Amino acid sequence: MEHAACRGSGPTSWMRTAAACAVVAAVGVPSRSAAAELDAVIAKGELVWAADQEGGGPHVYPDPERGGRLTGFEVDLAELVAEEIGRKHGCTIRARFQQGQWDRLPLLLGRSADCVINGIELTPQRRRDYRCSRPYYAYALQLIVARDSPIRSLDDLGRPGPRGDWKLGVLTGSAAEIAIRTRQGLAVECIGYDGTIDAMEQVAGRVLDATVQDDCIATFYADRFAGLRPAGRPFDGGFYTILTARDTPCLADAIDEAISSLLADGRLKRLYDRWDMAGRQQELLLRTSEDIRPAPRPPLAEVVASTLPMLLKSAGMTVLLSCLAMPLAIAIGLAIAVGRLYGPAWLRPLLVCYVEIVRGTPLMLQLYAIFFLLPKVGLALPAIVAAVAGLAINYSAYESEIYRAGLKAVPVGQLEASLSLGMTTWQAVSRVVVPQAVRLVLPPVTSDFIALFKDTSVCSVITVMELTKRYSVLALTTGRIVELAAITAMLYLLMSWPLSILSRRFEHGREVTP
């Protein structure tokens, strides 16, 4: 069966194809047959949709009762959309899930996913950069606080709390973050998280004062977080949309037609009723929703002028994290290396275990443990302190191996000669062996310092807004992905280039003067 929206029979078929190609050329995307992307979906018999299961319910999440299989109203929606597209074209199409990080899901379009279905809010910026389907869900924002919190509504955030500005968590890149950051008169410190559950956990653990979530999320987790409550009525709000790439007009049309059919025959209402999401109310809201005009793409000079100060500030955070963490890592690593070679016998196995455990686990997991698990035992560290501690602990294991190699490279006769002169073992190691070992390992230690600059990007998972995270947010907001990537790369190069020169000079054994 041919595509009604993109093909036709008779002499008008080539005219439609030519018109579609002209539209594609006008928006500046690769020219190809207008129906090619829909043909590909039909040929492979599957619609690949991207989402982040870490975000949780009611959108997409693993169901423990079904062996960890994915469930959620958007899992069901994806299956209905794929089924409807297949029915209209006389074939069978399955929905296949593709995992991605929520604030980077659009980057999967045209690569490993055909569309994005994951509570993506319809905004002018997204209308500008992607094809947005007609809305399939109307949401509102809900302020959530602890049950004994003095906050009763959003208006209470207009005055500082007992400890100064209120700490409020939001999902990074979400409409909630935009609403809070752009709302005037709020005395809040807005902190972005990669997952909705993370922010709610932090409110329950008294690390945050409040969080703002979509109302469907607040309702879904009301029983799990019994110690939390909504503060005031829902505010602002908008619509969820399905994203497709700019060069997929026929697939976008097919998805729109599928949503229209689901809405017309009541299947969309039944879906939301099944998930206790006010199906009738959603049906009425979606039928009367108005289109959002695309936002104009700002000139490059304007984007650079507005984003460069923020990138420079975040680069300063990257430098701060690196300069605080590396000296700690060196000190801990040197102490471990000395302990393994010259310490008491009972201490050496413990130090070996430390090194192997730290080297054998990811830095991201270590940061999560420090920032999210320690508050459960009563030790809540600020994000920057947790980031420095995590980086220092992680790199200390690698530095210990470098210094151990350097200590073993010092001829054993140096130690024996020192002991024969009457020095104690500690004096001989600290005054004779260690200084020589430090000089030997300066090049690899400097290289590790350069690597640490780049590894600070992982700290974004614990809400630290360093350079890479800032780039990600600004790139998706402005649509200037390539241009801002070049600026960000240049900033990293400017930070690491002096260290690269220093490392080469150490390797050649030349003296470096200040």
Side-chain angles (χ1 to χ4, degrees), residues 176-189:
E177 181 178 31
I178 296 173
I180 294 300
R181 293 192 186 278
T182 57
R183 186 176 289 266
Q184 300 295 323
L186 295 182
V188 300
E189 178 187 352

Side-chain angles (χ1 to χ4, degrees), residues 325-336 392 395-396 399-400 403 438 445-446 449:
M326 194 62 188
L328 290 174
I330 291 174
I332 298 172
L334 179 57
I336 292 172
Y395 268 77
S396 68
E399 297 308 302
S400 71
Y403 276 101
V438 168
V445 169
T446 307
F449 199 4

Side-chain angles (χ1 to χ4, degrees), residues 305-492:
S306 61
T307 59
L308 187 57
M310 289 184 282
L311 289 174
L312 290 174
K313 181 179 178 180
S314 298
M317 176 59 70
T318 294
V319 172
L320 177 65
L321 293 175
S322 302
C323 292
L324 290 177
M326 194 62 188
L328 290 174
I330 291 174
I332 298 172
L334 179 57
I336 292 172
V338 171
R340 289 182 63 180
L341 293 176
Y342 306 107
W346 62 267
L347 180 61
R348 296 173 190 175
L350 298 178
L351 296 178
V352 171
C353 290
Y354 172 88
V355 171
E356 295 305 323
I357 291 174
V358 172
R359 289 198 307 173
T361 54
L363 172 59
M364 182 181 294
L365 180 62
Q366 295 165 13
L367 290 171
Y368 261 99
I370 294 172
F371 190 66
F372 291 109
L373 299 184
L374 287 183
K376 295 182 180 297
V377 296
L379 181 58
L381 297 177
I384 294 179
V385 176
V388 171
L391 291 170
I393 291 172
N394 183 267
Y395 268 77
S396 68
Y398 298 96
E399 297 308 302
S400 71
E401 293 298 281
I402 292 175
Y403 276 101
R404 190 164 67 94
L407 291 170
K408 295 179 71 174
V410 177
V412 67
Q414 299 280 342
L415 178 61
E416 293 173 348
S418 302
L419 295 175
S420 67
L421 293 175
M423 289 187 179
T424 63
T425 301
W426 169 247
Q427 289 174 329
V429 170
S430 61
R431 298 181 183 181
V432 178
V433 180
V434 169
Q436 296 182 72
V438 168
R439 183 176 181 181
L440 292 173
V441 301
L442 279 176
V445 169
T446 307
S447 297
D448 269 1
F449 199 4
I450 297 172
L452 180 61
F453 270 102
K454 296 185 284 288
D455 277 351
T456 55
S457 61
V458 183
C459 296
S460 63
V461 301
I462 58 171
T463 76
V464 176
M465 188 64 76
E466 43 66 55
L467 183 54
T468 299
K469 185 66 173 181
R470 178 65 69 184
Y471 156 72
S472 176
V473 173
L474 293 177
L476 294 178
T477 301
T478 63
R480 297 286 187 173
I481 297 176
V482 176
E483 296 89 340
L484 291 181
I487 295 174
T488 303
M490 184 60 66
L491 290 175
Y492 272 114

Side-chain angles (χ1 to χ4, degrees), residues 76-77 80 267 269-277:
D76 296 341
L77 176 64
L80 288 174
R267 280 180 289 172
K269 176 182 179 297
R270 291 193 294 273
L271 170 63
Y272 290 128
D273 284 339
R274 184 160 67 246
W275 286 94
D276 193 21
M277 297 173 69

Side-chain angles (χ1 to χ4, degrees), residues 224-287:
R224 172 173 170 178
F225 293 96
L228 305 183
R229 63 171 175 81
R233 299 179 61 84
F235 61 97
D236 289 352
F239 300 97
Y240 290 164
T241 183
I242 298 176
L243 292 186
T244 52
R246 293 293 300 171
D247 60 340
T248 58
C250 287
L251 177 59
D253 289 344
I255 290 175
D256 271 347
E257 291 177 6
I259 295 175
S260 298
S261 297
L262 297 176
L263 184 61
D265 62 18
R267 280 180 289 172
L268 197 60
K269 176 182 179 297
R270 291 193 294 273
L271 170 63
Y272 290 128
D273 284 339
R274 184 160 67 246
W275 286 94
D276 193 21
M277 297 173 69
R280 177 57 177 167
Q281 181 181 7
Q282 289 295 321
E283 182 182 44
L284 295 176
L285 289 172
L286 296 178
R287 285 180 175 176

